[in-house]
Amino acid sequence: MLHFGNMAEMERIKVLRRHLLQNKDNKSWKSLTEGPVSAAYPDVNYDYTTNTNVLTPEQRKSYEENGFLVIRNLVPKDKLERYRHRFEKLCSREVQTPGLLIMRDVAIAKSEFVPGEKAVTKIQDFTHDPVLFEYCCLPEVVKYVECFTGPDIKAMHTMLINKPPDPGSKTSRHPMHQDLHYFPFRPANRIVCSWTAMEHVHRQNGCLVVLPGSHKGHLLQHVYPEWEGGVNKMYHGIQDYDPSHPRVHLEMQAGDTVFFHPLLIHGSGMNRTKGFRKAISCHYASSTACNYIDIAGTTQEVIANEVLDLIKKRMGPDAEIGFQDVWRLKSKVVTGPPQEEINM
């Protein structure tokens, strides 16, 4: 269970959550196998999927071997349009949702401000937005999420990505990384990301690039790459992965969704088109199998300090908040025991 302390601590988290959500200034910011092993592949060890009868034996085998699985035409187009319109309203401040983190490309930040959605590259932490959070709870998405996390699910990290046309600085690319670098909870095998293309995503506008099978490795050290044009905030990258490792470019149509493991090495290229490339995603974790861990003294300390610095700019330098607290504040139950019963 994502165990997070006693009743006094829970009350402290409620106060922190209330404080954060009241802040309106958002300008920047099992290795277990459940059920019988498929008779179709008796030699496969099912470490990364659970038997929910949703995935075919071929799909389970593919995820076990590669660490990702693409489901075509999963999210309806009308839902994507609804999220697109909400994004536009949030960018124009026609509506405001407390707690959102709004981010801009470093190249845009250094140039003249562009109003509206063209200034925004990403919205994070939309769990408290009533429209965007619908994505995390879509039955067609959740039924697949359960294949990787099990039935009790929390939405841990949410993003709507608006990859901008590259201004020539190459800052629209995202270095190769592992998402587990950002997460202070384990086990990794009960965490999964759903990433849905909101339009045609291809190599020219910076589709995802994945290294199949890299999820079977361990968490590698991440740092900011030394790129001449600059690197966006918190876009840490791996320095020592094998550049000769086979890679796959995930070209997708609107509604196509890829589910992938948090240790899978992935990134994305530059957007060489004149339009923005939109996608919406959510990282989920099992609320009954996962636990927060202490990342002090690990390679994750750097990102933890960076996140806490950002949070304290919003809440005040005297705010008593830890890295785990941040994740408690921005996560939300999707299925399973209610918030109060899992001490989050």
Side-chain angles (χ1 to χ4, degrees):
M1 181 177 292
L2 281 170
H3 294 292
F4 306 115
N6 55 29
M7 291 301 295
E9 184 177 358
M10 289 175 64
E11 287 302 315
R12 184 174 71 88
I13 293 301
K14 288 179 181 177
V15 172
L16 286 170
R17 186 190 301 274
R18 195 159 54 244
H19 186 120
L20 183 61
L21 294 182
Q22 286 173 351
N23 190 333
K24 304 290 187 181
D25 185 13
N26 297 314
K27 293 181 181 178
S28 337
W29 187 219
K30 267 170 190 142
S31 186
L32 300 174
T33 299
E34 297 183 357
V37 173
S38 170
Y41 300 102
D43 58 332
V44 175
N45 292 321
Y46 291 94
D47 293 328
Y48 307 104
T49 59
T50 64
N51 188 7
T52 64
N53 296 318
V54 172
L55 299 181
T56 66
E58 292 77 17
Q59 287 173 325
R60 286 192 75 184
K61 183 174 185 288
S62 178
Y63 189 89
E64 294 287 336
E65 292 179 349
N66 298 309
F68 69 95
L69 180 68
V70 177
I71 305 298
R72 301 293 180 186
N73 199 31
L74 182 65
V75 178
K77 305 298 188 298
D78 63 322
K79 296 290 186 183
L80 299 178
E81 282 305 303
R82 177 170 165 81
Y83 307 146
R84 182 189 300 273
H85 291 154
R86 184 66 171 187
F87 173 76
E88 292 170 357
K89 289 183 177 181
L90 287 165
C91 290
S92 67
R93 297 193 176 273
E94 184 178 340
V95 297
Q96 295 190 41
T97 298
L100 281 180
L101 178 61
I102 298 178
M103 306 182 76
R104 297 181 178 87
D105 188 282
V106 63
I108 295 174
K110 291 178 180 177
S111 65
E112 184 178 354
F113 176 75
V114 182
E117 66 175 296
K118 291 184 179 180
V120 176
T121 60
K122 186 187 296 184
I123 284 181
Q124 290 189 174
D125 307 334
F126 59 68
T127 48
H128 300 287
D129 185 89
V131 176
L132 294 182
F133 187 66
E134 288 178 5
Y135 168 78
C136 304
C137 304
L138 290 176
E140 52 267 61
V141 172
V142 172
K143 76 174 184 179
Y144 281 99
V145 172
E146 290 181 345
C147 300
F148 311 105
T149 63
D152 301 326
I153 304 170
K154 280 201 88 174
M156 303 300 295
H157 182 52
T158 50
M159 294 189 297
L160 197 156
I161 305 151
N162 188 44
K163 183 187 276 285
D166 197 273
S169 60
K170 301 182 180 180
T171 53
S172 66
R173 58 185 167 168
H174 197 144
M176 301 299 279
H177 65 283
Q178 298 163 300
D179 289 341
L180 194 66
H181 168 67
Y182 298 91
F183 303 157
F185 44 90
R186 303 290 189 276
N189 291 358
R190 295 283 74 85
I191 304 168
V192 72
C193 178
S194 68
W195 191 101
T196 299
M198 296 179 67
E199 56 201 296
H200 183 199
V201 173
H202 48 87
R203 295 186 68 166
Q204 281 299 107
N205 65 6
C207 65
L208 290 180
V209 183
V210 301
L211 305 190
S214 56
H215 68 301
K216 296 180 181 179
H218 58 278
L219 182 59
L220 301 172
Q221 185 171 5
H222 290 61
V223 297
Y224 278 113
E226 296 180 0
W227 288 350
E228 187 174 331
V231 185
N232 283 313
K233 191 76 171 174
M234 300 185 193
Y235 276 33
H236 295 184
I238 300 169
Q239 298 302 293
D240 58 355
Y241 72 93
D242 181 2
S244 67
H245 191 293
R247 57 183 60 197
V248 174
H249 292 80
L250 298 181
E251 297 199 338
M252 301 161 65
Q253 298 292 333
D256 292 350
T257 301
V258 59
F259 297 90
F260 61 90
H261 191 278
L263 280 173
L264 183 74
I265 297 175
H266 65 288
S268 63
M270 290 184 290
N271 181 358
R272 295 180 172 88
T273 69
K274 295 181 179 180
F276 286 73
R277 188 222 71 187
K278 289 183 174 63
I280 188 169
S281 72
C282 178
H283 281 88
Y284 301 86
S286 168
S287 63
T288 51
C290 290
N291 293 276
Y292 283 130
I293 62 168
D294 183 3
I295 51 88
T298 72
T299 60
Q300 292 182 259
E301 237 184 342
V302 173
I303 188 63
N305 291 336
E306 200 169 332
V307 169
L308 289 175
D309 285 345
L310 181 60
I311 292 295
K312 287 183 178 181
K313 285 180 181 178
R314 301 168 69 189
M315 296 181 65
D318 297 327
E320 295 184 5
I321 186 168
F323 193 42
Q324 293 181 7
D325 296 334
V326 174
W327 287 93
R328 294 185 186 105
L329 290 166
K330 68 180 186 175
S331 60
K332 194 172 183 179
V333 169
V334 175
T335 65
Q339 195 89 5
E340 309 77 52
E341 294 182 15
I342 51 179
N343 297 330
M344 298 187 70

